[in-house]
Amino acid sequence: MAPRKCSSLLSFTAKIVCIDFPWIRLVLLWIVVIICSLVHQFAPLADSYLNNTNNVLNVYFAEWSWAWTSIPTAIFVLLTSYVYTLGTVRDMLKHQVRIIIGTVLWGVWVGLFLGVRQWTVSCSDRTFGTNSTACEEAGHRWEGYDISGHTFLLSFCIFFIASELSVLLQWDSIPELLEKLGTRPLHGEQTSDRTDELTRDGVHADDAEATAASLEWFYRLTPFLWPLFCLLVLLTLLWGFILVVTALYFHTVGEKLIGLFCGTLSWWMTYEVWYTRAYPGRPGGGPLGLDGAHMYSPPQPGQIDLASTRPSYGGTGSRVREE
């Protein structure tokens, strides 16, 4: 498949899979969890392989869901950021910081959930007080308020993957964006301030080389994004399925909703608040503006006005060669 057609198909598929309205995805997830939790509360399902905590999905996937999510996502971000940061190593590493922040959030919340459980633990028969051994020997349950860590982490992973895949929504516009960027100085510099070699169009030679190299790497790397994209989509579907199983078989309604709230809050406070305003920025941030941060506002120096740019698929007006 021609690289340009490959990128167009990738963007088209991403627009179908990654709902381009995050609040729709959020509302759907909350509705599903609430309905399944109510089923568990008022019409519990019969025991099955799925509510066995030793089942394959729980042991090898749910328990390791952050590793399954973060590793391929980090590779995906590495490859895509090489293109949309024009190969700037510092900016590429900056986009990896979101993976680190997600890992820290995971650790903090899990520690907090375990702390809550420890603080509230007691015997289901209050007459046993704090004697856990006697409580369990008598056939009672020694338990605390067990906020659903699975519900938190699986929901956060779903939001996390969808947000990182959002750069693909405009992936097919990169050749034209690079063409447009190649006709102006990068990083907000004026050509009149540069005294070394210029191209025939008045663009600094290093700038032209940077955009040309990024275009070449765009064509080279796009085919490799397909398997990563498919893997991340499959993981999203798997996390959604395990989340439904968790809501149908485990925890109380309150424990699941608190876990879901923590997952939603973590995503919203990072991707919708923090990253839109400060370091390390949203996915796609860089000279090409794939993060959409300036789509409806004046672009920053060295960035392209995305609002006036549309993908070009050939024709006399485009200087981008179809491979």
Side-chain angles (χ1 to χ4, degrees), residues 245-264:
V245 171
T246 301
L248 285 173
Y249 286 105
F250 302 99
H251 297 281
T252 65
V253 174
E255 290 169 347
K256 284 174 284 197
L257 292 185
I258 291 176
L260 181 58
F261 173 77
C262 293
T264 303

Side-chain angles (χ1 to χ4, degrees), residues 192-232:
S192 59
D193 298 331
R194 308 284 289 273
T195 57
D196 39 353
E197 183 181 357
L198 300 178
T199 65
R200 289 183 304 172
D201 297 327
V203 181
H204 188 263
D206 290 342
D207 295 347
E209 290 176 4
T211 54
S214 292
L215 183 60
E216 180 181 355
W217 279 107
F218 166 81
Y219 287 129
R220 287 185 179 183
L221 293 177
T222 294
F224 294 99
L225 296 181
W226 267 107
L228 285 170
F229 171 73
C230 293
L231 174 60
L232 290 170

Side-chain angles (χ1 to χ4, degrees), residues 108-123 126 129-130 142-147:
V108 169
W109 280 118
V110 169
L112 182 60
F113 296 162
L114 293 175
V116 169
R117 188 178 187 280
Q118 186 64 35
W119 297 331
T120 59
V121 71
S122 63
C123 184
R126 303 299 181 185
T130 58
W142 184 255
E143 57 188 6
Y145 196 78
D146 189 15
I147 298 174

Side-chain angles (χ1 to χ4, degrees), residues 109-172:
W109 280 118
V110 169
L112 182 60
F113 296 162
L114 293 175
V116 169
R117 188 178 187 280
Q118 186 64 35
W119 297 331
T120 59
V121 71
S122 63
C123 184
S124 55
D125 185 338
R126 303 299 181 185
T127 60
F128 286 88
T130 58
N131 192 332
S132 61
T133 303
C135 171
E136 293 175 344
E137 287 179 350
H140 302 297
R141 296 187 307 276
W142 184 255
E143 57 188 6
Y145 196 78
D146 189 15
I147 298 174
S148 177
H150 277 25
T151 304
F152 151 72
L153 185 55
L154 294 171
S155 61
F156 180 64
C157 285
I158 291 172
F159 292 135
F160 175 83
I161 291 174
S163 295
E164 292 296 337
L165 288 179
S166 65
V167 297
L168 295 180
L169 298 175
Q170 301 180 81
W171 194 252
D172 58 340

